Amino acid sequence: MSRAADRPEGAANRFPRPSPLRAPEATRSNALHSGAWWLWALGLAVAASRTTNPLLLGLLVGVAGYVVAARRTAAPWARSYGAFVKLALAVILIRLLFSAVLGSPVPGSHVLVTLPELPLPDWAAGIRLGGRVTAEQLVFALYDGAKLATLLICVGAANALANPARLLKSLPGALYEAGVAVVVAMTFAPNMVADVVRLRTARRLRGRPTGGVKAVLQIGLPVLEGALERSVAVAASMDARGYGRTADVPRAVRHTTSVLTLGGLLGVAAGSYGLLAAQGAGYGVPLLAAGLVAASAGLWLGGRRSVRTRYRPDRWGVRAWLVAGSGAAVAAVMIRAGGTDPAALHPGVVPLVAPTLPLWPAAGALIGLLPAFVAPVPAPPLSPREPTP
């Protein structure tokens, strides 16, 4: 008799076999590379920088939000997405307020309100405070603020999905020291917020007030003490691991490393500006490619001074290529659409016209949803009563 016949009825339903088409559950060994999340988010950001169409920007925001909701973990640093969304909304409101108070060079005939105008001296010619507020200038400010807000939301998605500690482990040896400082700075604020929440909850359970100057002072001292203890612990662990040791390299290698790294970073900056600018796609891609090659060579030479080792380095697998490639595909489609049909990506405001949703750029933006289906599924958080394995 076969083993399948010995199984009780319904066992196959209780223990289904994992489908090869479904994304596996995330573990330490198959977790997605943090660099893939950043490349995906930067691809969405490049796409957002090429358009002011609010429908396309809203679609990009929806894509980023869906991926974050589907693949965000329960880690403290993964909760930063909401803060970036609030910051993006604040940017839009500030942009509208500045346009209403300081005016705008955009001409308009639909006057909404007339504010009291303050006279300014002759040396402030071209600047006004108050005056007419037209619908055209507010719509222009809304489009401009929405683009910047979408860029912030894309960066927030990368912060919520990429593990900063695993990203630090993947940095080249030449950038390891700067990466440690960045990671410490990024993780200090979430840990401090968690300490404040914990102390306020403890005071509330003891029947003590959590508001007022006195309560803030009583909470602030333990928070600063905890931050100091963490700093001392990090310094001790780094000293125990021999952090800061460097190997001797020839002077010619050091000079070559500096030239390649500096020149490569300048090329990357110029190429990135070309991709983000409206008319710079022609020279942006070659400059970016040349800068990446030079910077990679400089970082490889600079890494020879570092004697650190890596324990279980993250692998860049097929799923990482798919995630990073989806962001690059969204950026490529939007850049191509900007060259063929720029009017659809930049709706006019004089005269006021309703924005339309172009088909191919919208379909290209939906490619950014691929990480929600191919990236490993984060494990659900353990309940307080659930024992750890």
Side-chain angles (χ1 to χ4, degrees), residues 117-377:
E117 187 172 357
L118 299 178
L120 297 177
D122 296 337
W123 55 266
I127 303 176
R128 68 177 179 88
L129 293 176
R132 298 190 312 163
V133 179
T134 62
E136 287 82 357
Q137 74 179 63
L138 290 183
V139 171
F140 178 79
L142 178 63
Y143 290 172
D144 196 25
K147 180 169 69 171
L148 180 56
T150 306
L151 293 175
L152 290 174
I153 289 177
C154 293
V155 175
N159 279 276
L161 294 171
N163 190 334
R166 300 179 74 93
L167 184 62
L168 171 64
K169 187 169 63 173
S170 303
L171 285 178
L175 297 179
Y176 187 68
E177 296 181 0
V180 169
V182 172
V183 170
V184 170
M186 291 176 59
T187 56
F188 176 77
N191 291 330
M192 186 175 64
V193 172
D195 289 344
V196 172
V197 173
R198 177 176 55 84
L199 292 173
R200 293 188 64 182
T201 303
R203 290 180 62 86
R204 191 180 298 110
L205 293 176
R206 294 186 179 98
R208 298 179 181 178
T210 58
V213 179
K214 184 178 180 180
V216 171
L217 294 177
Q218 292 177 353
I219 292 176
L221 184 60
V223 169
L224 294 178
E225 183 181 358
L228 180 60
E229 290 179 354
R230 283 195 300 270
S231 301
V232 173
V234 170
S237 63
M238 293 171 65
D239 184 68
R241 291 175 174 84
Y243 177 79
R245 293 181 301 169
T246 57
D248 294 332
V249 294
R251 180 179 299 179
V253 175
R254 292 200 303 268
H255 292 169
T256 305
T257 301
S258 302
V259 172
L260 288 176
T261 304
L262 182 59
L265 293 179
L266 290 176
V268 169
S272 301
Y273 177 79
L275 290 178
L276 295 176
Q279 305 295 334
Y283 69 86
V285 175
L287 276 179
L288 181 62
L292 288 175
V293 172
S296 300
L299 294 177
W300 177 76
L301 288 176
R304 298 175 60 182
R305 298 181 65 241
S306 177
V307 293
R308 70 185 180 97
T309 59
R310 295 182 182 180
Y311 174 68
R312 301 174 67 178
D314 293 340
R315 297 181 179 178
W316 189 281
V318 177
R319 298 183 185 276
W321 282 111
L322 291 175
V323 171
S326 63
V330 174
V333 170
M334 202 66 67
I335 292 174
R336 178 61 178 173
T340 56
D341 191 9
L345 270 62
H346 300 279
V349 295
V350 181
L352 282 175
V353 293
T356 59
L357 183 64
L359 178 61
W360 289 111
L366 294 179
I367 302 176
L369 293 173
L370 186 62
F373 304 98
V374 301
V377 182

Side-chain angles (χ1 to χ4, degrees), residues 11-116:
N13 296 329
R14 291 197 303 268
F15 303 101
R17 293 183 178 179
S19 174
L21 300 179
R22 294 182 179 179
E25 185 174 342
T27 60
R28 184 180 292 272
S29 59
N30 68 347
L32 193 70
H33 199 285
S34 298
W37 286 122
W38 272 102
L39 291 177
W40 167 79
L42 291 178
L44 295 184
V46 170
S49 67
R50 309 295 296 186
T51 178
T52 56
N53 192 322
L55 300 180
L56 289 176
L57 294 176
L59 186 60
L60 291 173
V61 170
V63 167
Y66 182 82
V67 174
V68 170
R71 291 298 182 265
R72 182 173 57 176
T73 63
W77 42 264
R79 304 172 186 174
S80 61
Y81 184 73
F84 277 90
V85 173
K86 295 177 182 178
L87 180 61
L89 295 177
V91 166
I92 295 178
L93 293 178
I94 293 174
R95 183 66 179 87
L96 291 174
L97 180 62
F98 277 23
S99 177
V101 176
L102 301 179
S104 174
V106 178
S109 58
H110 298 79
V111 180
L112 300 179
V113 66
T114 302
L115 300 177

